[in-house]
Amino acid sequence: MLETYSLKGNAVITPQKIINKGMIKINNKNIEDIGSKADYHIDLPKDTYIFPALINVHDHLRGDYLPKIGPQPGTCYIKCHDWEKDLRVSGVVKERSKISEKDCYFLGAYKNLFSGVATVQDHYPHKINNLYIPELPIRVIANYTIHHEASSHSLAWGDGIKVEHAKAKKLNYPFIVHLEEGFDADYQAGVELLEKHQAFDTYNVNIHCIGFSDQDVKKAKKADCSLVWCPASNIFMYNLTCKIKKMLSAGINISLGTDSTATGSFNLLEEMRFARKIYRKMYGENLAAKKIFEMVTVNPSRALKIQNNIGTLETQKYADILVIKALHDDPYEALIKADINDIILLTLEGKPIYGLPDLEELFTLQETSYTTVSVKGQDMLVKGDPVKLLKNIQKAVGYKKILDFMPLDL
Ligand SMILES: [Fe+2]
C-alpha cells in the first residue's frame, strides 16, 4: 500500500489561514505536513479547494428513508412525540421493514458519504449500531453515551440520564440527547430535568433545543454545553427553529446536523444552504459562510470530544479530506454552494472513499475496494458497492424505489 502521498489544490483550508496553491502531505492515516510534497504527488484538477471532510453531528442512519413523515398540511407538531405516533403507523415504516437493518445502515452511510461527510453520529443505542459500524464506508462515532430525549416520552435508550451522563464524564465521551424538541410544559422542562440529574455540562450534545427560553440559552452557555442545530427538520415539523442568533451570540458551541431524511435535509450540503436561507429569513442578514463551515467541521469535533483527531487540517490529525470545485473566490462560499457533483475527492484516514475517475490510481494504490458509479450523469469511484445496495432494496420492496439522497443513475 502507498504510505505517503501529497495533494495540491488552489488552496488548503487550515484553521490559521487559507494557504493559496497549498499542498497537504499524507502519511498512512494522518496528515504529516501542510506545505510539503511527497514522492507520489497529485496535482488536483485546477480550481479546487482542500477542506477537512465534513462531520454530520446528528443523524439516525436506520431512519434515512423516504418519503418524509410530517404534519398534516397547514399544521405543525407541538412536540416530537406527535411525530413519532405518525411515524409508527406510516406506510413508510411498513415498507422500510422489508429492508434489512444492515441495508438501512448502509443507505444512511452513503447518504452522508455522497455529500462529503466522513464522520457521522448515529443517534441510536449501541446495541443497534454496534453491529454495523465496523463495516460502513464512513466513520460512525462509536464512543458516546445516550439518552433518547429529555421528556416523559423518552424511549428507553441507554441506562438512564444519570448513569449515561456519569459514564460520559468518566470516559470523556459526549452525552447525546434530544432536548426540548417541543413546546408543551413537559418538553420545555428538559433543561431542568437534566439539571436535576446533574447532567447538563460540557459533556452534553443537546439536539434541537427549539423550546429553549432565553434563560435556557444562558444556562447552556454557563454549563459549556454543545448544541446541535437541525433547521430543515425543525421547520418541516414545527415551522420554526431554535433561537440560533442568540445561541451564537452567547458563544455556545453550535454544530449543524441533518437529522434523518424522515424529517430533515437530504444531506449536509443541502442543510448548510438551508441554514443560510432560514437565518436570512429570520434575521434579515447573512450567516457567514465561515461560521457554517465551522458548524460542520471543528465545532462537531469539539462536541464529540474528538477535536484532537479530526475537524481541521492540521499535522498529526487523521487525513479526512474533502476536495471540492472552487465555485467562488471565497472557499467558504464555495463550500456553501457545493452540490454532490462538485466533490472531487473524499478521504477517510488517508484512504480515498469517493472521487473522480482521474484519481483511480490513488484508489488502487491505497487498496480501497471500490466500484464505478454514475452520479447525476458523472462517473465517480466510491468505496463499496452502493448500486448493489440500491438494487437489493428495490428487490426487497418489490418496485423501483427512488431515494433522492442516493444520487445514482441506475
Ligand atoms: Fe433526531
Side-chain angles (χ1 to χ4, degrees):
M1 196 179 79
L2 180 69
E3 283 196 357
T4 309
Y5 66 94
S6 53
L7 303 168
K8 184 179 180 188
N10 262 25
V12 178
I13 316 307
T14 73
Q16 295 78 25
K17 59 178 178 176
I18 294 167
I19 304 170
N20 290 321
K21 306 290 172 202
M23 275 186 293
I24 184 162
K25 188 175 174 187
I26 293 103
N27 187 345
N28 284 313
K29 294 179 174 186
N30 300 98
I31 297 167
E32 183 180 301
D33 187 45
I34 309 276
S36 65
K37 196 172 178 178
D39 289 342
Y40 188 87
H41 175 76
I42 298 170
D43 277 321
L44 290 161
K46 74 180 174 68
D47 297 334
T48 52
Y49 293 136
I50 302 176
F51 281 96
L54 309 185
I55 302 168
N56 184 5
V57 76
H58 187 58
D59 203 333
H60 304 271
L61 299 183
R62 170 90 173 76
D64 282 324
Y65 203 64
L66 289 170
K68 291 183 178 190
I69 306 293
Q72 291 300 312
T75 69
C76 58
Y77 294 126
I78 298 297
K79 58 186 185 293
C80 184
H81 190 58
D82 300 335
W83 172 80
E84 280 163 18
K85 284 192 282 187
D86 283 353
L87 175 77
R88 275 188 212 111
V89 297
S90 71
V92 180
V93 165
K94 199 172 165 194
E95 180 179 291
R96 204 185 64 193
S97 68
K98 295 176 183 172
I99 302 166
S100 72
E101 193 170 72
K102 180 176 174 179
D103 281 353
C104 286
Y105 261 91
F106 271 82
L107 264 186
Y110 277 113
K111 159 196 141 172
N112 282 284
L113 180 152
F114 286 125
S115 62
V117 171
T119 303
V120 64
Q121 207 288 319
D122 174 49
H123 194 48
Y124 271 121
H126 293 286
K127 65 182 176 193
I128 296 179
N129 62 26
N130 262 353
L131 265 177
Y132 313 113
I133 285 178
E135 292 183 59
L136 295 171
I138 62 170
R139 179 188 298 111
V140 181
I141 298 295
N143 295 341
Y144 64 93
T145 71
I146 188 168
H147 189 66
H148 171 239
E149 65 177 28
S151 85
S152 64
H153 298 291
S154 184
L155 302 172
W157 292 1
D159 295 326
I161 295 171
K162 206 174 178 75
V163 172
E164 290 288 319
H165 184 273
K167 211 187 297 173
K169 210 167 167 177
K170 187 177 166 199
L171 299 169
N172 194 31
Y173 287 177
F175 168 68
I176 300 174
V177 59
H178 287 124
L179 180 59
E180 299 205 8
E181 192 187 0
F183 302 97
D184 67 5
D186 176 35
Y187 274 78
Q188 290 201 281
V191 171
E192 284 76 15
L193 179 65
L194 295 180
E195 284 176 331
K196 196 177 95 183
H197 291 289
Q198 286 143 7
F200 193 68
D201 59 22
T202 191
Y203 295 93
N204 286 57
V205 179
N206 301 320
I207 303 150
H208 297 308
C209 308
I210 56 174
F212 263 31
S213 63
D214 288 353
Q215 186 63 18
D216 290 334
V217 175
K218 282 182 193 153
K219 282 181 177 180
K221 170 60 187 167
K222 196 169 172 212
D224 194 31
C225 296
S226 289
L227 306 184
V228 177
W229 185 31
C230 304
S233 175
N234 299 157
I235 297 293
F236 177 71
M237 291 170 77
Y238 308 102
N239 200 28
L240 54 72
T241 186
C242 63
K243 299 174 182 222
I244 186 65
K245 192 175 178 182
K246 281 186 179 170
M247 290 169 173
L248 286 167
S249 301
I252 296 169
N253 184 45
I254 313 270
S255 306
L256 195 63
T258 57
D259 218 340
S260 83
T261 58
T263 57
S265 292
F266 287 161
N267 61 45
L268 199 57
L269 297 174
E270 191 183 83
E271 190 75 36
M272 286 193 280
R273 280 191 288 281
F274 189 87
R276 175 168 267 194
K277 193 172 97 183
I278 198 69
Y279 193 94
R280 170 159 277 288
K281 195 174 171 193
M282 287 163 73
Y283 304 112
E285 58 189 70
N286 257 347
L287 180 55
K290 189 177 180 206
K291 279 246 177 257
I292 299 175
F293 157 74
E294 288 167 354
M295 287 183 195
V296 293
T297 52
V298 66
N299 295 3
S301 74
R302 188 179 146 203
L304 297 168
K305 310 280 182 208
I306 46 176
Q307 67 269 41
N308 292 334
N309 298 323
I310 61 169
T312 53
L313 296 181
E314 289 179 280
T315 307
Q316 298 311 318
K317 288 195 178 181
Y318 283 137
D320 289 6
I321 295 169
L322 172 64
V323 182
I324 61 160
K325 289 180 193 164
L327 301 168
H328 195 283
D329 289 344
D330 178 336
Y332 305 113
E333 290 291 341
L335 183 65
I336 305 293
K337 278 185 189 302
D339 208 342
I340 281 171
N341 280 104
D342 301 315
I343 294 177
I344 307 288
L345 175 67
L346 178 66
T347 72
L348 173 67
E349 296 182 14
K351 283 197 167 207
I353 55 173
Y354 185 53
L356 290 178
D358 298 1
L359 300 164
E360 188 157 14
E361 192 174 77
L362 183 66
F363 277 72
T364 308
L365 291 172
Q366 288 294 87
E367 297 174 5
T368 300
S369 168
Y370 66 93
T371 51
T372 304
V373 295
S374 176
V375 177
K376 293 187 171 180
Q378 180 178 293
D379 275 359
M380 295 295 286
L381 310 180
V382 61
K383 183 179 175 183
D385 194 346
V387 168
K388 190 175 165 198
L389 170 69
L390 271 186
K391 286 185 175 166
N392 273 352
I393 285 161
Q394 292 183 343
K395 196 173 165 197
V397 298
Y399 72 101
K400 198 173 174 193
K401 179 77 181 177
I402 304 290
L403 293 159
D404 289 333
F405 58 86
M406 291 287 281
L408 303 174
D409 310 313
L410 292 189

